[in-house]
Amino acid sequence: MRAPISIVIPSLNAAAALPACLAALVEGLQAGLIREVIVSDGGSTDNTRALAEGWGAEVILGAPSRGGQLRRGCGAARGDWLLVLHADTVLAPGWTDAAQNHMTNRGGAAGWFRLRFDQRGLVPRLVAGWANLRSGLGLPYGDQGLLLPRALYEEVGGYPDQPLMEDVALARALRGRLHRLEGLAITSAEKYRRQGWLRRGGRNLWTLGRYAMGASPDDLAQSYRRS
C-alpha cells in the first residue's frame, strides 16, 4: 500500500526556514505516512530550490502567488491526503500520531494543528491563543498546517489562485468540516519581531476584516506589501 500523504509547501526565498520544516517531516517518512514532498516555488532567488531538491522534494516552479502556488502543488500531488505547510512552520514531534488518528477517525474532514510561536513570552502566547480560538470557530490560517483528503479538497474547489487570503477562502469552503488535530505547529515569529506584535496583529485583523467586507485579494496584497 502506498503512503497516503502528499506534503505541499509554498516557498519564496525560504532557504533559511525550509530545512527545519523538512527535517520535522522525517518522522512521517519513518512512520510510512509520506508519499511525496512537493515544494511549489514562486521564483526564489536564494538556494531554496537546491535545498528542497537536496532533501528529496519535488520542486514545481511558477508565478509568485501563494494561492496559485498551492493550487499547482496540490494539483500535482498524488496522495489520497494532502498536508499543506508553510515553509517557516515546523511540526512538533508526535505529529504523525495526530495525523494518523485524524485519518482513521475523521476520514472525511480536514484538520488543523494548534499554533505555537518559536518565541516565549506572554504576548506570543496570547497571539497564539487567539489564533487557536479563531481556528476553533472555523477559520484556521495556513501557518497552522492543513490536513485533508484529496477528494474533499477537490470537492470544495481547492485553493483559489489569489495572492492573499487563500487560506481563509479555503477555510470558508470547508466550514463545518474542520477539526483540531492533537499536535502542534510551531511557526516563526520573525515577522512579528520585526514589525512589532501589536502592529502585525492589528494589520492581520484589519486585512481579514477588509477581505470579509469584499475587498479584492490583489488590492489587499498590494496594501500588505506597502505596509
Side-chain angles (χ1 to χ4, degrees):
M1 179 181 293
R2 290 185 179 274
I5 299 177
S6 292
I7 308 290
V8 180
I9 303 171
S11 65
L12 183 62
N13 294 328
L18 188 59
C21 175
L22 295 173
L25 300 179
V26 172
E27 179 182 320
L29 291 170
Q30 294 172 338
L33 291 181
I34 296 178
R35 177 170 179 172
E36 61 192 347
V37 177
I38 297 172
V39 174
S40 185
D41 192 68
S44 294
T45 56
D46 62 5
N47 63 335
T48 295
R49 181 178 178 182
L51 278 170
E53 291 174 340
W55 277 85
E58 176 186 354
V59 178
I60 296 175
L61 303 177
S65 167
R66 194 157 63 194
Q69 289 172 235
L70 285 170
R71 192 171 184 87
R72 288 190 295 272
C74 291
R78 295 168 294 173
D80 292 331
W81 285 78
L82 305 173
L83 176 51
V84 179
L85 293 173
H86 285 184
D88 60 355
T89 294
V90 176
L91 296 180
W95 71 266
T96 51
D97 291 335
Q100 186 66 69
N101 183 60
H102 178 85
M103 291 188 292
T104 300
N105 298 310
R106 285 182 166 147
W112 49 272
F113 292 90
R114 289 180 294 119
L115 180 71
R116 192 175 77 191
F117 288 103
D118 62 354
Q119 177 175 322
R120 298 185 182 277
L122 177 61
V123 175
R125 287 200 302 272
L126 289 174
V127 174
W130 154 247
N132 292 324
L133 175 62
R134 181 198 67 232
S135 301
L137 297 173
L139 199 60
Y141 282 178
D143 53 9
Q144 291 169 258
L146 185 67
L147 175 67
L148 75 167
R150 182 183 181 86
L152 176 59
Y153 174 83
E154 293 176 347
E155 176 189 331
V156 300
Y159 284 101
D161 187 354
Q162 60 190 53
L164 203 65
M165 294 287 149
E166 78 294 331
D167 46 2
V168 174
L170 184 58
R172 284 177 170 178
L174 292 169
R175 186 149 303 195
R177 290 185 282 185
L178 283 162
H179 299 276
R180 188 185 75 180
L181 299 172
E182 293 304 319
L184 277 175
I186 304 170
T187 197
S188 171
E190 189 272 333
K191 292 178 181 177
Y192 284 91
R193 286 191 292 264
R194 189 175 69 243
Q195 299 172 14
W197 285 88
L198 289 178
R199 181 184 177 192
R200 173 81 181 185
R203 187 179 68 167
N204 288 346
L205 283 174
W206 173 241
T207 303
L208 177 61
R210 290 181 62 197
Y211 183 67
M213 291 185 290
S216 161
D218 292 317
D219 292 341
L220 291 174
Q222 289 179 11
S223 298
Y224 201 78
R225 286 191 292 267
R226 283 197 301 268
S227 61

